[in-house]
Amino acid sequence: MRRLCPLFNIGMVLILIVLLTACTEKKSQRSETETPSKTGTNEENEEQMTDEPLKIGFAMDTLTEERWLKDRDFFEESIRKLGAEVEVMASHGDDALQIWQAETMISKGIDVLVIVPHNAESTAAIVKKAHSAGIRVLSYDRLVKNAEVDMYVSYDNEQVGVLQAEAITGMVPKGKYVYIGGAETDNNAHILKKGVFKILQPLIDQGDITVVFDQWTKDWMPIHAKENMLLALDANNNDIDAVIAANDATAGAVVEALKERGLEGKIPVAGQDAELAAVQRIVQGTQTMTVYKPIRELSELAAELAIKLAKGEKVGDVMKVNNGKMEVPSILLTPVVVNQSNIEETILADHFHKREDVYLDE
């Protein structure tokens, strides 16, 4: 019996080896069959991620003026037609709030940030934060200064100023002028003023025109524009020959001030944006002209550019605009003069306003 023990032990060892080998092979086979299933799941997840719509953030300065409501509505409509999603936030002239709103949208994982800066300088911080998160930035209508902006789309704001000044000097080639500017913090206000004085300066130099009042309007607020106009009238004993205002909201405030002095309709007033109230004033004869910038065209183009930036696609041949830090790829659209003679073929033809709203007496 003692001689059988070694044989028994050897047999047991052989049996254990066979069993372990079988288990190892079975485990290996199970692992191989599970691997394709896991890979397939990853592919499905990647496909689902690819199918998610692009998300565009639209950080606006204000929605208190008629034109910006149109910008918002047309932009939202355009983005959705392109199959993407959009989130809109407006800071109402609060720089800190606009930065916070942009940060909020960035944290939500937007693909592109479109921004209408309130303060051209301070919003450079927003561009930096977006780029840190791998998000491109499109500057809408107003240019962000001193920042590496990916794209800028607007109307030719210098040309807007040129058109305003040409219209008013054509009516009043000599006399006392008042300039009611926009917000000093807005780069567009400076470009607009540059265009105005491009026309006025030669007439100033030859002594035909005197600018007796020239002031910015804090935050573009009409109440401040009216205060400025009243100051201009007081300083000149109501002896004013023409007024160029930076937009239609400030032009409306100018007309209010003139009305208080019995001068409504007697002094030419220029504006821009083709707001409904401004066009009504043109019909009534209390505002001379406005500059129409077809907002639907601007918003549709901005939406297309935002989607291209999100997809990393090339935009094509564009001009460059210097913002103090770089030459920003830009597209500037052409503005249009509107006065009593061409309301029909401009604003009404584009369905920008309804005829019954423009001509209230009809």
Side-chain angles (χ1 to χ4, degrees):
M1 293 293 292
R2 290 179 182 174
R3 290 179 182 176
L4 292 174
C5 286
L7 293 174
F8 177 77
N9 291 337
I10 292 169
M12 289 297 292
V13 170
L14 289 172
I15 290 169
L16 288 171
I17 290 170
V18 171
L19 289 172
L20 288 170
T21 303
C23 288
T24 302
E25 288 176 358
K26 189 175 181 181
K27 184 177 180 181
S28 176
Q29 288 171 359
R30 186 169 67 244
S31 298
E32 287 172 5
T33 57
E34 285 174 352
T35 303
S37 175
K38 187 175 181 182
T39 304
T41 303
N42 284 342
E43 287 174 355
E44 286 173 11
N45 288 340
E46 287 174 8
E47 205 172 303
Q48 288 172 0
M49 288 175 67
T50 305
D51 290 341
E52 286 184 5
L54 294 170
K55 296 176 183 177
I56 311 299
F58 194 17
M60 302 187 71
D61 169 26
T62 181
L63 289 171
T64 58
E65 294 174 17
E66 176 191 308
R67 73 140 294 184
W68 294 113
L69 293 171
K70 289 181 181 289
D71 284 271
R72 179 198 62 188
D73 294 345
F74 290 152
F75 185 77
E76 286 181 334
E77 179 186 331
S78 300
I79 286 291
R80 288 174 180 140
K81 280 183 179 178
L82 293 170
E85 296 177 353
V86 60
E87 180 170 358
V88 180
M89 290 187 176
S91 63
H92 305 294
D94 187 326
D95 294 340
L97 179 59
Q98 186 165 53
I99 292 172
W100 178 85
Q101 288 174 340
E103 288 176 339
T104 300
M105 288 189 279
I106 290 168
S107 68
K108 288 182 178 180
I110 57 172
D111 295 290
V112 165
L113 177 64
V114 180
I115 184 167
V116 182
H118 170 254
N119 187 313
E121 297 286 348
S122 64
T123 37
I126 292 176
V127 178
K128 189 174 182 180
K129 289 176 186 292
H131 283 173
S132 296
I135 297 168
R136 292 185 173 184
V137 179
L138 170 64
S139 200
Y140 181 100
D141 192 67
R142 302 174 183 170
L143 182 61
V144 179
K145 297 284 287 181
N146 297 311
E148 295 180 348
V149 181
D150 297 284
M151 193 78 202
Y152 171 48
V153 60
S154 183
Y155 276 86
D156 187 336
N157 290 290
E158 183 174 336
Q159 184 62 19
V160 171
V162 167
L163 294 175
Q164 287 182 312
E166 285 179 340
I168 298 301
T169 56
M171 296 180 66
V172 186
K174 295 182 179 182
K176 295 180 180 180
Y177 273 59
V178 169
Y179 183 71
I180 303 295
E184 190 174 9
T185 56
D186 181 353
N187 185 60
N188 276 9
H190 291 268
I191 298 173
L192 178 67
K193 184 175 181 178
K194 179 182 177 182
V196 169
F197 279 84
K198 186 175 183 178
I199 302 302
L200 295 188
Q201 197 58 52
L203 298 172
I204 293 170
D205 293 342
Q206 63 192 40
D208 291 337
I209 285 176
T210 303
V211 177
V212 296
F213 191 90
D214 175 2
Q215 188 58 262
W216 300 107
T217 301
K218 188 178 186 314
D219 293 332
W220 291 94
M221 296 296 289
I223 187 171
H224 299 310
K226 184 177 180 180
E227 290 168 354
N228 285 334
M229 190 62 215
L230 289 172
L231 286 172
L233 290 167
D234 288 340
N236 292 276
N237 297 315
N238 294 336
D239 184 15
I240 300 293
D241 296 301
V243 182
I244 298 176
N247 70 355
D248 285 337
T250 53
V254 166
V255 171
E256 283 183 20
L258 293 175
K259 185 176 182 179
E260 289 183 8
R261 303 296 172 89
L263 298 170
E264 182 184 22
K266 298 178 181 179
I267 298 175
V269 178
Q272 71 147 323
D273 287 337
E275 289 190 353
L276 178 59
V279 182
Q280 290 170 344
R281 289 193 295 270
I282 290 172
V283 171
Q284 295 160 5
T286 58
Q287 182 170 326
T288 308
M289 61 83 72
T290 186
V291 179
Y292 173 44
K293 301 182 293 186
I295 296 171
R296 183 179 288 279
E297 182 183 6
L298 177 65
S299 59
E300 287 178 351
L301 175 60
E304 291 171 8
L305 292 172
I307 298 301
K308 285 187 175 182
L309 287 174
K311 293 180 177 181
E313 297 176 356
K314 291 184 178 179
V315 173
D317 293 333
V318 295
M319 65 182 297
K320 298 291 180 71
V321 175
N322 191 287
N323 73 344
K325 186 177 182 66
M326 63 175 289
E327 296 293 326
V328 181
S330 306
I331 298 178
L332 301 182
L333 303 174
T334 304
V336 180
V337 169
V338 173
N339 51 39
Q340 282 188 347
S341 68
N342 69 345
I343 292 174
E344 187 74 37
E345 57 263 37
T346 54
I347 292 166
L348 295 184
D350 285 355
H351 305 288
F352 190 71
H353 295 308
K354 295 179 181 178
R355 174 182 294 277
E356 58 268 29
D357 292 334
V358 170
Y359 296 100
L360 297 174
D361 295 334
E362 287 188 358

